[in-house]
Amino acid sequence: MKLFSYEKTSYASLSMCVYFSIQAQNYTSVDAIVSNYPNKFKSIEEFANTVEIDFDSDINKVRAVYYWIANHITYDYKSLKKNNNGFEFINSNPDDDYETRLSDMQKRYAEGALKRKQAVCEGYSQLMKFVLNELDIETEVVHGFAKISPSEIGYIRHNTNHAWNAVKLNNQWHLIDATWSTGSEEKQPNIFNFTDTYFLISPKHLILSHFPKEQHWQLLDQPISKANYFFKPIFYEAYFNSGLKLNPKTNGIIKVKRGGKIKIIFDEIDSTKTYYYAFKGQSISKPLTIEKKSGQFIAKIPFNAKRKTEVGIYDDTQGVIEFKVVIDR
């Protein structure tokens, strides 16, 4: 058994060789330079000019802008609770240049995030877009959905609740989520627990937690449906380094009879590790029993709950995947 805290872990292109060569870069020197940048910039232009002076390649400029934003802009949990992203309402008038007014409003919003050093996801994304555009790097804000709790599995949302960025490098689009890179939590909103998992993250990985409203931003050869996304389990950042690869046909809602066993199928595991499981409300986890059958790995978890619940899979104490469990009567 293992003690742990049951909290959600906070949570046509060029050839793939180009993608992986970009991914494989070491950004230590870039990060070190940006770490000496001022804590505040007066304007988007000043921010961009500073980056322009220090870096030559587009990829290093992107990294610099991303790294500074992810380590200096705190998440605005108060606005989140009020369901307020601070956007102005713009009436669409055929006699006006709507697109220009919209872009002006978005830039004001980005400048506000830079000035206050606080934003929700829209602010992070708009700020990155306008700084990179100032550097002549094509960038777009991607709006879509993100789910972070097992309670959301199976409920198809209609209103988007998240924003991130698509950045064009070497004529290929890449995905970045600066918001999720801050690692801040509501109890400690001013503490940065930086992670670069979501910097140029593989589209096949990001789609596990992010679903863009516009299908082309999935950047997948075979896009998935909205229903498919919302019925997937919850994947946490630790999943990508856990050695686990969930079978893609595994549903996020598991039906099981009381007294039976929950079965979860993996295509790959790290045989050197011991994985654990725990149900919602438990503070002690138990080792996960996994058996190999026909080239797959099947985890079996005894189920005796009287009502629906949630079950999480852990790599040591780190949450990896969570499922909703319902009683099959």
Side-chain angles (χ1 to χ4, degrees):
M1 294 185 177
K2 188 178 264 307
L3 290 170
F4 70 104
S5 173
Y6 189 91
E7 291 186 359
K8 308 296 186 290
T9 305
S10 322
Y11 0 172
S13 61
L14 296 179
S15 64
M16 287 303 291
C17 65
V18 174
Y19 181 86
F20 288 120
S21 67
I22 290 177
Q23 283 288 85
Q25 283 193 220
N26 186 317
Y27 301 102
T28 303
S29 60
V30 177
D31 297 349
I33 293 171
V34 177
S35 293
N36 291 316
Y37 279 11
N39 286 323
K40 208 165 188 178
F41 287 105
K42 295 179 181 178
S43 67
I44 287 172
E45 291 76 15
E46 181 188 29
F47 187 179
N49 287 338
T50 303
V51 174
E52 182 74 54
I53 291 169
D54 288 332
F55 303 102
D56 295 326
S57 69
D58 283 354
I59 180 59
N60 285 344
K61 291 175 185 178
V62 170
R63 177 69 183 199
V65 173
Y66 155 84
Y67 187 81
W68 190 91
I69 291 174
N71 284 282
H72 289 83
I73 306 298
T74 60
Y75 194 83
D76 189 352
Y77 286 98
K78 290 183 179 179
S79 292
L80 175 67
K81 288 183 176 180
K82 294 176 182 178
N83 196 28
N84 175 27
N85 66 10
F87 259 9
E88 305 166 26
F89 181 77
I90 297 179
N91 289 312
S92 179
N93 187 326
D95 296 327
D96 292 337
D97 188 347
Y98 174 78
E99 292 300 326
T100 298
R101 289 188 294 123
L102 177 62
S103 180
D104 289 344
M105 182 271 286
Q106 291 171 336
K107 186 173 183 180
R108 287 196 298 272
Y109 188 75
E111 289 170 337
L114 184 63
K115 182 179 180 179
R116 296 192 304 120
K117 291 181 62 180
Q118 187 178 58
V120 293
C121 57
E122 187 74 31
Y124 285 86
S125 303
Q126 294 292 351
L127 179 56
M128 177 165 286
K129 171 188 172 181
F130 281 98
V131 177
L132 291 179
N133 284 173
E134 192 73 23
L135 291 163
D136 294 322
I137 298 173
E138 193 173 351
T139 311
E140 296 292 343
V141 174
V142 180
H143 293 98
F145 308 87
K147 63 184 197 295
I148 60 173
S149 168
S151 63
E152 298 175 82
I153 300 173
Y155 292 99
I156 301 177
R157 296 178 61 103
H158 298 291
N159 296 321
T160 58
N161 67 339
H162 195 45
W164 56 100
N165 291 97
V167 179
K168 200 170 190 179
L169 295 165
N170 295 329
N171 292 317
Q172 184 178 11
W173 287 101
H174 297 266
L175 301 169
I176 298 174
D177 189 336
T179 309
W180 281 29
S181 297
T182 65
S184 67
E185 299 179 6
E186 186 172 2
K187 295 178 181 178
Q188 296 179 306
N190 297 314
I191 301 298
F192 293 92
N193 186 19
F194 174 74
T195 171
D196 68 355
T197 296
Y198 301 97
F199 180 69
L200 306 182
I201 184 172
S202 165
K204 69 178 182 179
H205 286 165
L206 192 63
I207 197 63
L208 298 177
S209 56
H210 295 54
F211 186 84
K213 185 177 180 180
E214 297 181 57
Q215 187 184 84
H216 66 275
W217 287 127
Q218 291 186 32
L219 303 185
L220 296 171
D221 292 333
Q222 297 179 323
I224 70 170
S225 68
K226 190 176 180 181
N228 184 313
Y229 167 78
F230 276 102
F231 275 87
K232 284 183 179 293
I234 301 299
F235 293 88
Y236 295 112
E237 181 187 345
Y239 174 78
F240 304 120
N241 295 311
S242 67
L244 294 172
K245 183 179 179 181
L246 187 70
N247 184 279
K249 294 182 180 179
T250 304
N251 200 300
I253 300 177
I254 299 175
K255 291 184 178 181
V256 59
K257 293 185 181 295
R258 191 177 177 215
K261 289 187 176 181
I262 295 170
K263 294 181 180 180
I264 304 173
I265 301 175
F266 297 96
D267 288 339
E268 296 177 12
I269 67 167
D270 184 341
S271 59
T272 67
K273 291 183 176 182
T274 298
Y275 299 100
Y276 300 85
Y277 75 89
F279 289 97
K280 182 178 181 179
Q282 293 182 337
S283 58
I284 297 177
S285 64
K286 296 180 180 180
L288 187 64
T289 300
I290 303 177
E291 61 181 47
K292 187 174 182 180
K293 185 177 181 180
S294 302
Q296 293 180 317
F297 301 88
I298 304 173
K300 296 183 178 181
I301 302 172
F303 179 76
N304 292 295
K306 296 180 180 180
R307 58 182 64 86
K308 66 180 181 180
T309 185
E310 298 163 8
V311 65
I313 307 300
Y314 292 80
D315 177 6
D316 197 29
T317 60
Q318 291 188 301
V320 175
I321 318 173
E322 284 192 276
F323 299 84
K324 181 183 289 185
V325 184
V326 298
I327 298 175
D328 186 7
R329 303 185 185 279

